Amino acid sequence: MSDSQLVSAQVALQRGEIANARKLVAQVLLADPKNEQAWLLMARLASTREQVIDCLNRALRINPHNRATITALRAITRSLPSTRAAITPPKAGRATLTAAPAVTPRPIQTQPTARKSIRLTVAEAAEPTYLPPRRKVNWSLLIGSVIVIIVVAIALIGPLLAPQDPMAEHAIIQVGDTWVIPPFNAFQVPGYPLGSDQFGRDMLSRILYAVRPTLIMVSIVAIARLFLGTVIGLGAGWSNGRLGHTLDTAISAALSIPILLIALGAITVLGTSNGLIPFIIGLSINGWGETARFVREQTQLIKGQLYIESARSLGGSTLQILIQHILRQIMPMVWMLFAFEISGTLMVTAGLGFLGYYIGGDVWVEVADFVSRRISGAPELGQMLATSWVNLLQPWPLVLTGSVIFITVLGFNLLGNGLRSRLNPEFINRNSPVALLRQRFNLFFEENFSYPVSNWLRANRLRPVLVTSAVIILAGSIYLYQVNASQRFNPALAALSIPGGEIWASNRVDPYGTNYINSIGPAQPEELWLFHHEGGYSGNPVISADGTVYIVGQDGLLLAFNPDGSQRWQMNLPEEPLGSLAIGPQGVIYATDAKGGLSAISTDGNLLWTYTTDASGRPNHGAIIAPDGAIYYLLETAIGDTLNAVLPNGQLLWSVKPGSHAADSGLRLTVDGKQILVKNAVVNSSDGSVVDLTLPTADNRVYADKAVLFVGANGKTYLLAGHVVMQWKETSQGFTLVQSANWNYRGAGLNQYSSLPVDSGVDVKGNIWLYYSNVYEGTYIYWLDPVGNIIGNFREPFNQETYLVGIDGADTAYVCGIGQDPTFNSIGGLCQANSPSGETPLWTYSLPEGSFVITGAALAPGRLYLLSAEGNLIALGDAIAVPTPTTTGP
Amino acid sequence: MLRFVLRRFAMLPFALCLINFLGFTYAYFARPIRAASTPYLRQQVSNPSPLLESYAQYISDIFHGSLLKPFAQGPQIGSFAQNIVNSLVASLGLLSIAISLSIIFGIVLGLLAVRNQPPGVRGWMSFVSTIGLSMPSFYIGSLAILLIVFVLVFRGPNSESPIPIHGFGWDNHLILPVIALMLRPTVQIALVTAEMLAGEFGKQYIIASRSFGHTWHDIRWRQAMRNVLAPIILSIAGSFRLLVGELIVVEWLFAWPGLGNLLASTLVPGSLSTNLGANALFLDPTIVSADITFIGLFFLIADLIASISVRVVDPRLRGQDEQEPAGGVI
């Protein structure tokens, strides 16, 4: 009983309720006059100096060896040097103090502090100047704070300090005359002060990058644990009934079961590739036990206080008392608990990482036939641990990553210990400027916010319930709507529009080459009409804003069709056409020809001008038209391609050699119109100068020539490097990687240097599609999210003559090819529509008799136009009313 | 007391059955979910029958001795039961040695850290405990391995490791796993011992004993230690639980073929694997449930021993059993 009263007194003292504290201590002393702790506490509560001395004397009498008491008495004697002269020494070498007149003056002996003994009288002690004992340096707090500040600083600015790209791999490096293979040891290779991991990635840079995501994750988990622990602890400590017992049992259970086991199980189920959520859930399920236990104990302690009883008698509700009285007592401890939670979470995260469970999940690389090895992508401490364990004789990466975790955990543990000491009422200095400031702030907050809100809530009992319910329902509805809306086609997400509002303006839809239309394609493959032209077509059809479809036959006949299939006009081009047509912002049609020239045709079928050139090369992909009307097209040849820029009036703006050789890739204009991407080169559109840009694939002999720069439908620039798509931007330092979608292509059975994607793109949401097609492995499309997690894939039954038409606004991919049955026998030309998540195609369309190979196609809202090698133009769509098919010859 | 012990023993089989069922259920549901996120496993992992039917089949297999048949696939040799028993023995041996050493070193360290007069814990204990509790077990293990690698480098080529750093054996193979396992529990037990004793030394009866002329040695061992034994036993039980949790990581690190390693094999993708599936044990419900059951058994036995021990050493707790209704929390 006395102990709890003393604790209550300490709490009251901490709150500044001196009178209450004094009363509590007095009760203890009445019951047990020989309680040393009570006398010491009373000394702190005494208002006059003589009372302080008397209390200390009494405590010293009970425990003569208490150094703290002796030190306090010494301090008092030292604080009055002027009075010492008047003191009469009773015995040499001994200091004698007298107590206040209110109590029996009884001299006590202390350690000699001076050669002269002193005797204090009441008159001499009239001006008390009590000095507390000198406080010890809180080394835990000091060192812990320094470590934590450094760690937080690394989390904030670490990536800026990283000397190298944390993702850059190096298979072998020459140091002097020797070749070194990873993992490099510390200081073994210049530029790698902390060595490298097994893939030759700089450990220092990876650590500088890794601290941030790890710290964010553990902070979120720590907050979640803190919240759960506080709520459950409050309930367990407050309730004596069934609820209390249940929560007590829950706390015991949470403390009994290892967090690592539960986290492993939960994360396994939820999947590591789903980002932070599985880790937050897995690590918070039973990690709150320690906090809950602490809060429960504190709640039980505070619950017995008189002021809680007073609050109850004044009509305070349980919730009010818990929030306004108990929680407020516990809140100062929150920072200490937070520090411990972070260190605890980090320990478990490290264990999980070591076992291969980290944010983002597994990435596999094939190291031999049918054997894969797991690697990690973006740096995170858990990930680094997972892949740092190469073999027993190369523990350096593991030790280094482990050391970073150890130092961070140590820092937070020291900080927690330091805060625990600091928050001990014995060491709190309530007169410090910070404490005074805090008191004033608390007072202001209570008077102006806490109490008014509390009174309003009390006066309007129903309102808060209704308001809270409404807010929860509203927030939930908004969230669900957003989740739902994000999964549907959302035109608002569309960042790019085709200049002039055309529907399909060039070979790859638009001048940016996204191969993505911002509308929905046909839901059903109804054959609306068919047009046959002997000899076949060149390139893709193009579709103007009003739905007019333009196609050009290989014989040079340009045809315009209305959406219903009726022919609008036809005209003969001056040269043999090559590549797709293109439509400019004003509706002008541009056709490239086999001699490298360019013709412009008006919307009513009149030839406007023709540009001819002496440059060699073939414009296999046609032209693209910039929003300002400038026309760009590439003449491809093995001896060096030529990029031409022509003004809308037919005059040459510039002509350059971008450095590519038979690029076999469509041109892409950047969204700002300032640059043109020519496969893996960048050309300024203003003057044709080639931008000096070193791509990450430059040193890779296989990928260097296959890398393709492209623009996503979200307007951002990307690089297709092998199987990996990287978002990048150009800065003063050249090519700057923004995000790399490293994904488990090995796990999907793809070879590192073969079976590379033939096309790729990005939709408006930033999701990446990779289109693979080869004779041996078939045709398939993988969908990845921006960080490389697989969000869908489907396989087409095509092994040859495959053609990816494009992706529509619902991310449906339209693919055509010659279908095969399971025994690899051809079953004729097919087209299929596939959604990213669909196992089976949305629809399958068999080409009509006489059509096998699709050579060109274009998508429009609810329409798909196909050009077959056999000379058929087929319009597929949703419309039930099918116009009369027309068949004409040249 | 007897009633308490009987009640706890009676609950043991029910708790184990529940744990077994939960382990089975977990693996049953987790297996296809986890496989679905792995492209090459998508169409290969599915549950052949409903949960209860599968579980009934599993129980039936246990009673019909089917589990004594060898594994159909996988790296292990021998029957299911044989593998589980081997793993159990390996883990139990490792745990027993680690916890025994932790108790001895922890209590000795705690006694060294406590200060008689004025009562308190010596400063170095705080330093040692903070560092010890901040070290993950795999980090301790990797540091030890690094040290051995340095020794090997120092000795030159073709030199042998002074201590095995990998594998199983009831000889010096135990050294590194035991060190990695026991450090944190040791520090924890030492800290609790020191703090409890320091708190005890401040009490009146210790002063009285001193005034009666008892030596500090007598006071420590005959009086103070008796009073703090109950919380120390509880902290040992807590340390044992911590140790079992760490078992997965340590056995995985040192390739110790125990229950932790087996569980990790079922849950962890592994550094090397075939494209056709993570490994043969991938979230196998029978293995996961058996493994979890034995790990649960460790917990329950540790808890039971601790509960009985504290009642033996502290008579005050025996009275509580008689007064406290069933379900009460001590």
Side-chain angles (χ1 to χ4, degrees):
Chain A
M1 181 63 189
S2 63
D3 285 347
S4 67
Q5 277 183 315
L6 280 181
V7 173
S8 307
Q10 281 186 342
V11 172
L13 175 62
Q14 192 184 345
R15 287 172 56 84
E17 298 167 357
I18 303 296
N20 187 24
R22 200 177 287 154
K23 191 179 164 187
L24 287 166
V25 178
Q27 285 174 353
V28 174
L29 287 171
L30 278 172
D32 178 20
K34 292 195 173 181
N35 190 325
E36 184 199 359
Q37 294 301 319
W39 281 114
L40 287 173
L41 190 56
M42 188 58 109
R44 296 180 59 197
L45 295 163
S47 54
T48 64
R49 183 172 176 276
E50 39 286 25
Q51 284 175 352
V52 173
I53 293 170
D54 178 50
C55 293
L56 291 175
N57 276 333
R58 285 171 186 272
L60 206 58
R61 247 176 270 140
I62 295 164
N63 181 8
H65 302 291
N66 191 330
R67 288 184 185 276
T69 316
I70 294 166
T71 314
L73 277 169
R74 273 188 198 168
I76 292 170
T77 54
R78 272 204 298 266
S79 68
L80 288 171
S82 58
T83 61
R84 285 180 187 171
I87 293 169
T88 309
K91 282 183 182 176
R94 300 273 171 152
T96 309
L97 299 172
T98 54
V103 293
T104 313
R106 191 178 292 176
I108 68 135
Q109 293 177 335
T110 64
Q111 297 289 327
T113 55
R115 284 187 174 279
K116 290 182 179 177
S117 299
I118 55 170
R119 175 181 286 275
L120 295 179
T121 63
V122 175
E124 288 159 350
E127 294 177 3
T129 51
Y130 171 65
L131 286 179
R134 184 183 293 175
R135 279 173 32 203
K136 288 181 182 174
V137 178
N138 192 338
W139 288 109
S140 290
L141 187 63
L142 196 67
I143 298 170
S145 302
V146 169
I147 294 175
V148 169
I149 287 169
I150 291 171
V151 170
V152 172
I154 289 174
L156 291 174
I157 59 168
L160 300 175
L161 304 175
Q164 295 198 31
D165 178 1
M167 303 291 291
E169 298 180 10
H170 296 88
I172 191 163
I173 282 185
Q174 188 175 19
V175 182
D177 296 333
T178 58
W179 290 90
V180 184
I181 57 166
F184 313 136
N185 288 326
F187 305 109
Q188 187 184 10
V189 177
Y192 294 79
L194 296 182
S196 78
D197 65 4
Q198 56 176 315
F199 301 105
R201 299 179 291 199
D202 179 33
M203 285 298 282
L204 175 62
S205 303
R206 285 184 73 75
I207 287 170
L208 289 172
Y209 269 88
V211 173
R212 184 188 290 177
T214 309
L215 211 58
I216 288 173
M217 194 264 280
V218 295
S219 301
I220 293 172
V221 172
I223 290 168
R225 282 181 175 190
L226 212 55
F227 175 75
L228 283 172
T230 307
V231 170
I232 294 170
L234 277 175
W238 181 261
S239 171
N240 290 324
R242 189 166 288 176
L243 175 69
H245 282 290
T246 309
L247 292 175
D248 267 338
T249 312
I251 293 172
S252 303
L255 288 169
S256 305
I257 306 167
I259 301 168
L260 185 70
L261 269 182
I262 297 294
L264 255 181
I267 294 167
T268 304
V269 171
L270 296 169
T272 50
S273 58
N274 293 325
L276 278 176
I277 302 295
F279 284 84
I280 294 170
I281 294 172
L283 291 166
S284 309
I285 287 177
N286 73 333
W288 45 264
E290 286 292 341
T291 302
R293 181 167 65 177
F294 177 83
V295 173
R296 180 185 65 188
E297 285 167 4
Q298 292 294 314
T299 307
Q300 284 170 343
L301 207 66
I302 299 165
K303 197 172 74 172
Q305 304 299 312
L306 281 175
Y307 64 86
I308 299 292
E309 205 174 319
S310 309
R312 267 183 177 168
S313 62
L314 287 169
S317 69
T318 301
L319 194 65
Q320 273 179 327
I321 294 170
L322 280 174
I323 293 172
Q324 291 188 3
H325 297 292
I326 294 179
L327 201 57
R328 282 187 62 190
Q329 296 288 344
I330 294 166
M331 283 313 278
M333 303 287 177
V334 160
W335 290 109
M336 174 196 83
L337 293 170
F338 185 65
F340 283 130
E341 286 294 1
I342 283 196
S343 68
T345 309
L346 204 55
M347 290 282 274
V348 183
T349 309
L352 286 170
F354 180 73
L355 292 173
Y357 284 76
Y358 47 79
I359 301 166
D362 321 329
V363 177
W364 297 82
V365 165
E366 191 170 310
V367 294
D369 287 347
F370 307 112
V371 178
S372 297
R373 167 166 281 172
R374 197 180 67 240
I375 63 162
S376 64
E380 191 263 331
L381 289 178
Q383 270 182 335
M384 291 173 67
L385 278 177
T387 50
S388 58
W389 194 230
V390 187
N391 63 53
L392 288 170
L393 293 175
Q394 292 175 325
W396 173 246
L398 181 66
V399 170
L400 187 62
T401 314
S403 299
V404 173
I405 290 171
F406 163 62
I407 290 169
T408 310
V409 172
L410 181 67
F412 279 101
N413 272 344
L414 284 171
L415 183 67
N417 281 336
L419 284 172
R420 184 157 54 190
S421 304
R422 181 73 184 80
L423 294 169
N424 188 333
E426 291 288 332
F427 297 104
I428 291 177
N429 181 5
R430 275 170 294 278
N431 293 321
S432 71
V434 176
L436 289 173
L437 199 67
R438 196 172 56 206
Q439 281 172 15
R440 289 193 176 190
F441 174 78
N442 286 345
L443 197 66
F444 175 83
F445 187 77
E446 280 175 0
E447 284 179 357
N448 295 287
F449 182 76
S450 182
Y451 289 146
V453 170
S454 172
N455 291 336
W456 183 84
L457 289 173
R458 198 180 304 167
N460 305 279
R461 283 175 184 275
L462 269 179
R463 239 182 266 180
V465 178
L466 290 174
V467 169
T468 311
S469 306
V471 168
I472 290 170
I473 292 168
L474 189 68
S477 306
I478 291 171
Y479 174 74
L480 288 175
Y481 175 77
Q482 284 182 340
V483 169
N484 195 22
S486 66
Q487 291 169 355
R488 289 183 282 120
F489 165 60
N490 186 357
L493 278 173
L496 299 181
S497 58
I498 302 175
E502 318 299 345
I503 294 172
W504 190 286
S506 56
N507 181 46
R508 294 178 63 87
V509 184
D510 49 33
Y512 318 107
T514 58
N515 225 15
Y516 178 91
I517 66 160
N518 194 20
S519 55
I520 307 293
Q524 290 299 324
E526 293 284 341
E527 196 176 295
L528 302 180
W529 49 269
L530 184 145
F531 172 80
H532 180 76
H533 177 73
E534 206 59 48
Y537 305 97
S538 171
N540 284 347
V542 288
I543 305 164
S544 65
D546 61 359
T548 307
V549 182
Y550 301 99
I551 56 171
V552 59
Q554 289 197 348
D555 55 359
L557 184 70
L558 178 65
L559 296 140
F561 292 95
N562 289 315
D564 60 1
S566 57
Q567 187 176 330
R568 185 178 287 182
W569 52 258
Q570 66 180 45
M571 59 93 62
N572 280 303
L573 292 174
E575 295 290 343
E576 179 194 345
L578 185 66
S580 291
L581 296 170
I583 307 179
Q586 307 302 321
V588 177
I589 305 133
Y590 298 94
T592 46
D593 57 55
K595 292 184 177 175
L598 179 72
S599 299
I601 301 101
S602 67
T603 51
D604 52 4
N606 294 317
L607 182 68
L608 297 175
W609 49 258
T610 299
Y611 166 77
T612 55
T613 177
D614 296 331
S616 61
R618 292 170 64 81
N620 293 327
H621 295 84
I624 59 168
I625 321 297
D628 61 3
I631 307 126
Y632 305 97
Y633 66 100
L634 186 70
L635 298 173
E636 299 175 28
T637 168
I639 59 169
D641 302 340
T642 305
L643 178 62
N644 283 347
V646 179
L647 292 171
N649 60 7
Q651 288 183 334
L652 181 70
L653 180 61
W654 46 256
S655 178
V656 296
K657 293 215 176 271
S660 61
H661 300 268
D664 194 24
S665 172
L667 298 176
R668 275 96 164 175
L669 189 71
T670 55
V671 176
D672 56 9
K674 292 180 179 173
Q675 291 175 330
I676 303 150
L677 310 179
V678 188
K679 198 175 182 181
N680 50 17
V682 181
V683 176
N684 285 320
S685 61
S686 55
D687 55 3
S689 57
V690 179
V691 179
D692 183 17
L693 202 65
T694 306
L695 301 183
T697 51
D699 296 333
N700 189 308
R701 292 198 307 189
V702 176
Y703 291 161
D705 193 44
K706 294 186 185 300
V708 178
L709 297 166
F710 66 91
V711 178
N714 56 358
K716 293 171 180 167
T717 46
Y718 293 86
L719 167 69
L720 172 64
H723 297 275
V724 177
V725 171
M726 303 171 182
Q727 189 197 330
W728 64 279
K729 61 181 177 183
E730 192 189 347
T731 63
S732 56
Q733 297 171 346
F735 180 96
T736 303
L737 180 71
V738 177
Q739 190 172 39
S740 180
N742 292 318
W743 67 290
N744 181 13
Y745 61 89
R746 291 288 181 159
L750 300 170
N751 191 290
Q752 189 176 1
Y753 292 124
S754 62
S755 320
L756 294 177
V758 290
D759 197 1
S760 69
V762 172
D763 71 2
V764 285
K765 289 176 281 190
N767 292 331
I768 298 157
W769 53 268
L770 292 161
Y771 174 66
Y772 292 86
S773 181
N774 64 64
V775 174
Y776 301 107
E777 290 161 352
T779 302
Y780 37 94
I781 296 182
Y782 275 94
W783 280 89
L784 314 174
D785 70 6
V787 295
N789 297 314
I790 298 173
I791 54 177
N793 74 81
F794 53 84
R795 185 174 284 268
E796 303 281 358
F798 313 130
N799 278 45
Q800 50 180 313
E801 304 294 350
T802 57
Y803 187 91
L804 173 68
V805 179
I807 309 290
D808 76 3
D811 284 345
T812 303
Y814 299 86
V815 187
C816 299
I818 296 179
Q820 289 181 323
D821 64 12
T823 57
F824 300 103
N825 292 319
S826 171
I827 54 172
L830 296 175
C831 286
Q832 286 191 343
N834 280 289
S835 67
S837 55
E839 291 286 328
T840 54
L842 298 174
W843 51 256
T844 301
Y845 169 73
S846 298
L847 294 182
E849 197 172 339
S851 296
F852 288 97
V853 179
I854 298 300
T855 57
L859 271 169
R863 289 288 179 96
L864 172 62
Y865 297 98
L866 302 171
L867 298 177
S868 79
E870 295 77 19
N872 289 329
L873 163 63
I874 305 161
L876 303 179
D878 300 330
I880 298 168
V882 181
T884 310
T886 57
T887 303
T888 41
Chain B
M1 176 74 176
L2 185 65
R3 223 175 72 185
F4 169 80
V5 174
L6 289 175
R7 199 170 62 208
R8 295 296 295 266
F9 264 110
M11 280 172 61
L12 209 60
F14 293 106
L16 286 176
C17 288
L18 181 67
I19 291 169
N20 185 272
F21 178 70
L22 289 176
F24 190 92
T25 309
Y26 163 71
Y28 179 89
F29 287 116
R31 192 171 149 88
I33 293 172
R34 181 96 171 111
S37 62
T38 314
Y40 49 83
L41 280 177
R42 229 172 244 175
Q43 292 166 354
Q44 296 174 31
V45 176
S46 59
N47 292 316
S49 51
L51 171 67
L52 291 178
E53 204 177 303
S54 300
Y55 190 67
Q57 181 63 43
Y58 165 61
I59 298 295
S60 165
D61 286 349
I62 292 175
F63 286 111
H64 289 89
S66 302
L67 299 182
L68 297 174
K69 292 176 187 169
F71 276 122
Q73 53 180 340
Q76 281 81 358
I77 300 165
S79 70
F80 172 87
Q82 196 182 336
N83 274 282
I84 291 285
V85 170
N86 288 344
S87 303
L88 180 66
V89 171
S91 287
L92 208 56
L94 191 62
L95 278 176
S96 310
I97 295 168
I99 196 68
S100 305
L101 291 175
S102 291
I103 293 168
I104 294 167
F105 284 113
I107 291 177
V108 169
L109 210 62
L111 286 169
L112 287 174
V114 75
R115 197 175 47 216
N116 299 335
Q117 198 59 41
V121 180
R122 294 185 197 279
W124 59 263
M125 187 67 216
S126 168
F127 177 75
V128 168
S129 65
T130 309
I131 287 188
L133 292 174
S134 304
M135 278 194 177
S137 54
F138 72 84
Y139 180 60
I140 301 164
S142 62
L143 279 180
I145 292 170
L146 184 70
L147 191 69
I148 290 169
V149 169
F150 278 135
V151 170
L152 288 175
V153 170
F154 180 74
R155 285 185 179 178
N158 300 325
S159 57
E160 285 191 4
S161 169
I163 306 168
I165 52 178
H166 196 249
F168 172 75
W170 297 115
D171 46 16
N172 51 4
H173 281 85
L174 277 163
I175 296 175
L176 289 185
V178 166
I179 289 174
L181 268 179
M182 65 175 275
L183 187 67
R184 288 181 70 200
T186 303
V187 171
Q188 210 166 4
I189 294 168
L191 189 65
V192 171
T193 307
E195 281 184 348
M196 297 307 297
L197 275 177
E200 209 64 18
F201 283 171
K203 290 191 175 168
Q204 303 287 333
Y205 76 91
I206 299 287
I207 299 168
S209 295
R210 280 293 288 164
S211 66
F212 289 144
H214 290 288
T215 62
W216 276 114
H217 183 269
D218 283 353
I219 290 171
R220 274 189 182 200
W221 288 103
R222 293 191 180 169
Q223 297 171 19
M225 194 48 125
R226 277 189 182 181
N227 278 329
V228 300
L229 213 50
I232 290 175
I233 288 171
L234 288 177
S235 93
I236 290 170
S239 299
F240 186 78
R241 286 195 287 263
L242 177 78
L243 221 134
V244 174
E246 296 284 321
L247 203 61
I248 301 177
V249 174
V250 172
E251 286 188 356
W252 185 251
L253 176 66
F254 294 105
W256 187 265
L259 290 174
N261 198 352
L262 190 62
L263 187 64
S265 304
T266 64
L267 298 177
V268 175
S271 59
L272 281 173
S273 176
T274 67
N275 276 345
L276 302 175
N279 59 50
L281 305 177
F282 176 69
L283 279 172
D284 187 317
T286 54
I287 296 174
V288 172
S289 56
D291 207 319
I292 295 274
T293 307
F294 282 112
I295 289 176
L297 183 68
F298 286 164
F299 277 92
L300 293 171
I301 295 286
D303 196 40
L304 185 66
I305 292 173
S307 304
I308 295 170
S309 304
V310 294
R311 279 160 178 79
V312 169
V313 299
D314 194 340
R316 289 170 295 183
L317 294 172
R318 288 176 225 161
Q320 279 190 9
D321 293 331
E322 307 304 325
Q323 293 162 11
E324 195 76 19
V329 176
I330 294 166

